[in-house]
Amino acid sequence: MNASMHSQYRNYQQTTQRSPHPAPSRRGPGPIFAGSQAQATPSNAQILAQRNAAAMESELAKRRARKPTDKNIPEGVEDIIIGDGVQQYKEMREVERKLDAVMMRKKLDIQDSRQQIFDRTKTLRIWISNTADNQPWQGRGLDENAFDFSTGIEATYKVRIEGKLLEDINADDTSDTESEDEPAKEGAHLDNNNDTMDHDGQDKTKEPTKPPSASIPKRLSHFFKSITVDFDRAKNLQPDGITQIEWKKPPIRPNTPNLPPSADFDCLEFERKSDENINCTINFYRDEMPERYLLSKELAEILDTEEDTRAGIVMGIWEYVKAMNLQQDEEKRQIQCDDRLRALFHKDTVFFPHIPDLIIPHITTLPPLRLPYTIRVDPEYHSSPVPTIYDILVPNDDPLRARMLAITQDSNYPTTLRQISALDDQSAMIVQAISHSKAKHAFFTSMSKDPATFVRRWTSSQKRDLEVILGEATRGGGEDGMGEEFRRGGKEGVWGTENVRESVGLMVAIGDKRR
């Protein structure tokens, strides 16, 4: 961190005060009186529409239940057709299974990669400076004939907070075609950066001539959800009675292409009244997704880090458990705590799915980044103003993450899925038609070999099915008992099987008990 400041002004005596943040009120909301409201009775048309919708939903459910889903060719079809179409179809189905497995594995890998924390950071350079207007030393004129010797103009100052990534600054410097030598002092460096910002504004008009960028360039407001300025001064000593200035990022939906101006800027300015030097602290509250937390001493000792996300904490504990072989043999989800885990959870055994809840007392919200600054309104400073410069590290997503999001969030992806689903339905219908054709082929082939026996057996089968449907079938198989297999004797017949012998023995035993 490089802070080019006048250190003697940090010792500028200010009136002590309590915290500028007011104490939270303990009073709850006032009572809410719920008035009695008569519920509107639905009309006949609404009731009819609801019934029609329910009937339509039921019909769609029946259609989905009747829709064939089997896409496998029935066995034996290849023996009755000409050519190797069935074999080619089976090979294609095998390739499809492998392709589906690979695509599902890649999709899961992409989802896991999106959830991982990319430990990539960039340097955000922040310039803090201020100007002064209508100060006493700036030579305001007085009217000699006026009774009131005041000018009626109050002294003010304007603070400017500007931030930009260093790589963007370097890119702007390399794109500058001017060959003028840059001044070496920091004040001139800020002027050059201001010129660079002007060039950035001109480049926006020429943006179509450049190759499109894969990601939106990061700006100062993208890294923080709130910026506050706390003045080291009592409220009664402030000319306007304000001891804190706050900017809050408005609520924005995820993946919003165009951000509002209040959430998309590189420079923040504010103006206040004062004719004295004031010490202040600028607080930057991080806006990270997923959010990082400050770890307790016990948890930081296990993970060997002081800051991490909840997912990273759970993954780190899981890796520690596997490295130390702390899983129980009978139940892998049960963790046998060693000294470090026992000091963390105060238990001998921990059920791993409970760890996300157990770590909550050991994580706290990260404190804001605090940058001290002295607002100077004296002539010595403004004769050659030098900005205060800070370099801070901010998280940055891996470039591959944007490409992964583009793959998984393609606008054509749902349309492609619907087309594939329609083709799958057509394939299932064709396979069902092939199955019906194979059954017809088997039926007519069997009838052509022995028509009399086939008709007799088919008539007997249909008669038995009709008796079962009507509830007239006799115990023992109906006329199946008159079949050839029931009339055949010996060990090869039905009556010589093990099941018949057990059944007969059971019937004899029951008869003896009844006697």
Side-chain angles (χ1 to χ4, degrees):
M1 181 182 294
N2 177 19
S4 58
M5 302 172 56
H6 296 286
S7 58
Q8 64 271 21
Y9 282 96
R10 293 305 301 171
N11 300 324
Y12 183 81
Q13 297 296 327
Q14 305 286 348
T15 305
T16 59
Q17 63 170 5
R18 296 183 179 180
S19 174
H21 303 283
S25 176
R26 296 182 178 273
R27 293 179 299 174
I32 301 176
F33 300 96
S36 59
Q37 297 180 357
Q39 297 182 355
T41 304
S43 61
N44 295 333
Q46 293 177 346
I47 295 175
L48 183 60
Q50 293 176 359
R51 291 179 179 176
N52 293 337
M56 181 62 68
E57 183 65 25
S58 177
E59 182 64 24
L60 292 177
K62 292 180 181 179
R63 291 181 182 178
R64 288 193 295 267
R66 291 193 299 264
K67 186 171 64 174
T69 57
D70 188 12
K71 294 181 290 183
N72 296 320
I73 295 290
E75 295 295 335
V77 176
E78 61 273 11
D79 300 332
I80 59 178
I81 66 171
I82 301 174
D84 57 348
V86 176
Q87 186 62 28
Q88 293 180 1
Y89 179 81
K90 290 183 177 180
E91 293 176 357
M92 184 183 66
R93 286 281 297 163
E94 186 64 25
V95 173
E96 182 184 12
R97 292 190 188 95
K98 294 180 180 179
L99 183 61
D100 289 342
V102 172
M103 292 177 62
M104 180 58 66
R105 186 171 65 253
K106 292 297 183 181
K107 185 176 180 180
L108 294 177
D109 291 343
I110 290 176
Q111 291 178 354
D112 293 340
S113 300
R114 287 175 54 189
Q115 300 299 328
Q116 290 179 1
I117 305 303
F118 299 89
D119 296 330
R120 296 173 62 94
T121 57
K122 291 185 179 181
T123 302
L124 179 68
R125 176 158 292 180
I126 296 180
W127 295 268
I128 308 176
S129 60
N130 72 275
T131 59
D133 294 325
N134 301 320
Q135 298 295 327
W137 54 268
Q138 289 180 329
R140 295 175 296 183
L142 298 177
D143 188 0
E144 297 179 356
N145 299 324
F147 179 77
D148 186 5
F149 294 99
S150 63
T151 60
I153 303 177
E154 298 185 6
T156 60
Y157 62 85
K158 180 183 291 186
V159 177
R160 177 185 179 91
I161 305 171
E162 182 181 354
K164 204 170 187 181
L165 292 174
L166 282 185
E167 65 174 10
D168 296 338
I169 300 173
N170 297 332
D172 293 337
D173 292 339
T174 56
S175 62
D176 191 358
T177 57
E178 296 181 358
S179 60
E180 298 180 356
D181 295 333
E182 296 182 358
K185 55 185 179 179
E186 293 183 351
H189 182 64
L190 179 62
D191 294 338
N192 291 334
N193 282 328
N194 287 335
D195 293 340
T196 303
M197 290 180 63
D198 294 339
H199 289 309
D200 288 343
Q202 296 172 5
D203 289 342
K204 291 181 180 179
T205 60
K206 302 177 182 180
E207 190 173 357
T209 61
K210 293 185 178 182
S213 177
S215 60
I216 302 176
K218 293 287 188 177
R219 311 188 72 176
L220 174 65
S221 58
H222 298 172
F223 297 103
F224 307 103
K225 59 184 176 183
S226 177
I227 300 176
T228 62
V229 180
D230 295 333
F231 297 98
D232 299 340
R233 217 170 164 183
K235 184 176 181 179
N236 56 352
L237 297 179
Q238 285 287 93
D240 49 8
I242 297 176
T243 59
Q244 186 186 65
I245 299 175
E246 181 179 18
W247 166 83
K248 271 190 177 182
K249 181 182 294 185
I252 301 173
R253 294 182 178 179
N255 302 325
T256 302
N258 298 322
L259 298 177
S262 59
D264 188 24
F265 58 84
D266 282 327
C267 180
L268 182 65
E269 295 182 345
F270 65 89
E271 184 176 10
R272 288 295 179 269
K273 302 174 183 178
S274 181
D275 57 358
E276 297 178 355
N277 296 338
I278 304 174
N279 293 333
C280 66
T281 302
I282 304 175
N283 305 309
F284 293 85
Y285 293 86
R286 304 174 181 89
D287 186 12
E288 300 177 358
M289 187 58 65
E291 185 177 0
R292 289 186 299 150
Y293 295 91
L294 187 65
L295 310 185
S296 64
K297 181 180 179 181
E298 296 80 6
L299 188 56
E301 184 179 358
I302 296 175
L303 302 182
D304 195 21
T305 183
E306 297 182 353
E307 301 175 0
D308 208 340
T309 63
R310 291 189 177 183
I313 294 171
V314 175
M315 184 59 65
I317 295 177
W318 173 244
E319 293 177 354
Y320 176 81
V321 168
K322 291 193 296 183
M324 304 302 293
N325 195 18
L326 299 178
Q327 292 178 274
Q328 293 185 357
D329 296 334
E330 298 80 7
E331 177 58 61
K332 294 296 184 180
R333 296 179 297 176
Q334 198 73 21
I335 309 302
Q336 189 68 34
C337 296
D338 59 357
D339 294 338
R340 291 183 175 180
L341 292 180
R342 194 176 296 108
L344 180 66
F345 299 126
H346 305 288
K347 295 180 180 180
D348 294 332
T349 59
V350 175
F351 195 52
F352 192 83
H354 296 167
I355 287 181
D357 296 330
L358 295 176
I359 64 175
I360 292 179
H362 297 275
I363 59 176
T364 55
T365 305
L366 284 178
L369 299 172
R370 304 180 186 275
L371 305 183
Y373 180 70
T374 299
I375 302 174
R376 301 281 300 276
V377 296
D378 55 281
E380 292 79 7
Y381 171 79
H382 289 280
S383 60
S384 58
V386 178
T388 301
I389 301 176
Y390 291 95
D391 288 339
I392 61 177
L393 295 178
V394 292
N396 182 68
D397 290 341
D398 193 282
L400 292 178
R401 191 167 191 176
R403 296 181 179 271
M404 293 178 182
L405 290 175
I407 293 174
T408 57
Q409 297 179 358
D410 188 4
S411 58
N412 298 327
Y413 185 66
T415 304
T416 305
L417 286 182
R418 286 192 294 268
Q419 294 176 355
I420 294 176
S421 179
L423 294 175
D424 287 341
D425 294 341
Q426 293 179 10
S427 300
M429 294 292 293
I430 294 173
V431 170
Q432 187 184 50
I434 293 175
S435 300
H436 293 168
S437 299
K438 181 180 179 296
K440 293 179 182 179
H441 181 272
F443 179 87
F444 290 114
T445 301
S446 178
M447 186 177 64
S448 64
K449 292 180 179 179
D450 189 359
T453 304
F454 178 81
V455 171
R456 185 171 58 253
R457 288 179 176 273
W458 181 72
T459 306
S460 176
S461 175
Q462 295 296 316
K463 180 180 179 181
R464 181 179 178 278
D465 292 343
L466 182 59
E467 289 177 352
V468 171
I469 294 174
L470 298 177
E472 299 176 356
T474 59
R475 181 177 298 179
E479 75 260 12
D480 283 347
M482 301 300 294
E484 183 71 23
E485 60 273 14
F486 287 94
R487 292 196 298 268
R488 185 185 305 120
K491 294 182 179 181
E492 297 180 356
V494 175
W495 306 107
T497 60
E498 186 67 25
N499 293 334
V500 172
R501 287 197 296 269
E502 290 181 1
S503 300
V504 172
L506 180 60
M507 292 175 64
V508 172
I510 293 175
D512 292 340
K513 289 182 179 180
R514 289 180 178 178
R515 292 177 183 178

